[in-house]
Amino acid sequence: MNPLFSALPPTIFDVMSGLARKHGAINLGQGFPDAPGPEFVRRAAAEAVMHGLNQYPPMAGIPDLRQAVAGHYGRRQNLELDWEREVIITSGATEALAASFLALLSPGDEAILFQPLYDSYAPMVRLAGAKAVLARLEPPHFRFDRFMIEALITPKTKVIALNNPLNPAAVVYGAEDLTLLAGICVAHDLICVCDEVWEEVVFDGARHLPLIAMPGMRDRAVKIGSAGKMFGLTGWKVGFICAAPPLLSVILKAHQFLTFTTPPNLQAAVAEGLNNPGDWFETMPAELQRSRDRLTAALTSEGFEVLPSAGTYFLNIDLAASGVKEPDRDFALRAVAEHGVASIPVSAFYEENPVTNILRLCFAKSDEVLDEGARRLAKARG
Ligand code: PMP
């Protein structure tokens, strides 16, 4: 057996969701919305299942969706993408990440990853035979700087991964941070794997800036997106990769042996959603922002110190600043078992030297669930 996997503990998401089920708890842990997702996209999928595509689609994705992705990024992010050479469809961003790391890294290479860290990055880097070199970002701002990154670069460094907006920190990196990172990538000849699955879930009127648009990055950024996050349909697992042809052609070969294709009916529905979104990309973040504000207000009135959330489905509580003496994991385990509210301790997103005073909560839930969740968290704090 491969120790890379046999030695892995169960993920915190499995642990907390299992405990939430066992204790009949309110689940503010795992990140998926309560709402069923946009009806026009779900209808398009049903239509495609009944009357459309159900056989193997082309390996790179159905042309309609690849064109729709290029069109969407043209309209929303001013990117000019050649859909035939620069866009492919994958089975979720998870597969896109795996294909990218497997294709871009060789045994002995190094990849710089920022903690807090989405859970699949390091195992996939290691599966490629490369070393995961961990940088550490800290609350409340979770910013990186030149010194922190350059101290980790060696002649073996090939890849750096950036998740923006950042789950779980709910931070959105803007022009200043991205210019800095682009400059480092160019100076050290690095490729950046840009996990931008949360790009449409940004608040307060902000617009997502893709790293691939920064100077020097057009040929060294691999941009990853997810229809699951764009449309609040997290189980759909339809992802996209956009990159210059020399990078994408190799990534496509890894995709060929990972999943080969992605359900064509779901691809057709996502194409419909991207081509005719109506006001979805305005109402969806506006509604989530309202939920963010509601949970923030409820928690603040209970005396919790809430960190700012500029994007994603999440906000974070600073436990130490809220009068909680326990580490995040202990608090989360006690809150779910004794007070019926599940959350995610942010220490789980660190492999080494964890930050232990931050608790992540998902606010993509109904008002009643958010209000009751805040009440139960207040009881857990005592
Ligand atoms: N990256 C990040 C940062 C995520 O938060 C998620 C989903 N939670 C993914 C990747 C995976 O996306 P998908 O469901 O499309 O595989």
Side-chain angles (χ1 to χ4, degrees):
M1 276 193 285
N2 187 337
L4 255 183
F5 298 109
S6 60
L8 277 181
T11 72
I12 191 70
F13 307 101
D14 286 343
V15 171
M16 292 308 296
S17 287
L19 288 171
R21 276 192 298 274
K22 178 172 164 201
H23 296 286
I26 284 184
N27 194 350
L28 301 183
Q30 211 165 12
F32 57 83
D34 267 357
E39 188 172 329
F40 70 104
V41 181
R42 288 183 291 123
R43 274 199 196 288
E47 192 58 32
V49 167
M50 292 312 292
H51 305 292
L53 307 162
N54 292 293
Q55 307 303 340
Y56 288 135
M59 178 177 68
I62 64 169
D64 274 2
L65 180 54
R66 295 166 69 201
Q67 286 166 29
V69 169
H72 175 82
Y73 286 139
R75 287 187 300 278
R76 302 279 301 175
Q77 298 177 12
N78 281 325
L79 296 177
E80 267 185 42
L81 294 163
D82 172 351
W83 71 268
E84 281 182 288
R85 299 166 69 231
E86 298 187 315
V87 181
I88 67 168
I89 309 305
T90 58
S91 294
T94 307
E95 195 225 337
L97 287 160
S100 300
F101 289 132
L102 291 173
L104 299 172
L105 291 165
S106 302
D109 286 348
E110 295 180 2
I112 296 177
L113 309 176
F114 293 105
Q115 306 180 98
L117 187 69
Y118 187 64
D119 56 0
S120 77
Y121 294 6
M124 288 302 126
V125 165
R126 292 177 186 132
L127 195 61
K131 182 173 170 200
V133 177
L134 302 174
R136 183 175 188 270
L137 305 178
E138 291 174 9
H141 300 300
F142 297 94
R143 299 278 293 269
F144 47 80
D145 61 39
R146 175 177 298 282
F147 176 76
M148 169 199 289
I149 299 173
E150 289 194 329
L152 300 175
I153 294 177
T154 76
K156 294 178 180 167
T157 311
K158 296 287 156 33
V159 164
I160 185 160
L162 178 72
N163 175 212
N164 183 34
L166 176 60
N167 171 16
V171 167
V172 175
Y173 296 105
E176 197 187 322
D177 300 292
L178 298 180
T179 304
L180 172 82
L181 189 60
I184 293 173
C185 289
V186 171
H188 297 274
D189 193 19
L190 306 180
I191 296 168
C192 189
V193 173
C194 309
D195 176 348
E196 301 185 356
V197 301
W198 296 101
E199 60 199 335
E200 292 292 352
V201 191
V202 294
F203 308 132
D204 306 309
R207 264 296 175 95
H208 172 77
L209 254 183
L211 188 68
I212 197 169
M214 305 313 284
M217 293 309 290
R218 189 62 178 76
D219 295 329
R220 54 176 75 252
V222 174
K223 174 176 170 55
I224 293 176
S226 170
K229 297 300 182 320
M230 283 182 174
F231 292 108
L233 298 162
T234 59
W236 275 28
K237 309 297 284 188
V238 177
F240 332 123
I241 311 180
C242 305
L247 298 178
L248 195 63
S249 56
V250 185
I251 295 171
L252 182 65
K253 291 181 187 167
H255 161 71
Q256 173 172 10
F257 300 123
L258 283 171
T259 59
F260 182 57
T261 55
T262 299
N265 27 52
L266 297 183
Q267 290 192 52
V270 172
E272 171 65 25
L274 291 176
N275 286 334
N276 299 298
D279 59 3
W280 173 256
F281 292 116
E282 286 77 46
T283 53
M284 177 268 290
E287 183 56 26
L288 285 163
Q289 181 176 324
R290 204 189 58 76
S291 299
R292 173 200 70 175
D293 292 345
R294 187 170 182 113
L295 183 59
T296 302
L299 290 166
T300 308
S301 76
E302 297 285 4
F304 283 105
E305 187 69 30
V306 178
L307 300 185
S309 163
T312 77
Y313 296 158
F314 310 111
L315 62 71
N316 292 287
I317 295 177
D318 183 335
L319 290 173
S322 306
V324 175
K325 301 267 180 315
E326 284 162 299
D328 57 349
R329 194 181 171 93
D330 295 354
F331 179 84
L333 290 171
R334 200 168 52 74
V336 69
E338 293 175 18
H339 300 278
V341 56
S343 56
I344 298 288
V346 166
S347 58
F349 293 82
Y350 291 75
E351 276 201 5
E352 47 184 50
N353 195 11
V355 167
T356 57
N357 60 313
I358 306 292
L359 195 69
R360 191 194 80 172
L361 304 174
C362 174
F363 52 73
K365 308 287 168 190
S366 70
D367 288 353
E368 301 72 58
V369 167
L370 296 177
D371 295 350
E372 183 57 24
R375 266 194 294 277
R376 293 186 186 191
L377 284 165
K379 286 210 189 101
R381 189 191 47 188

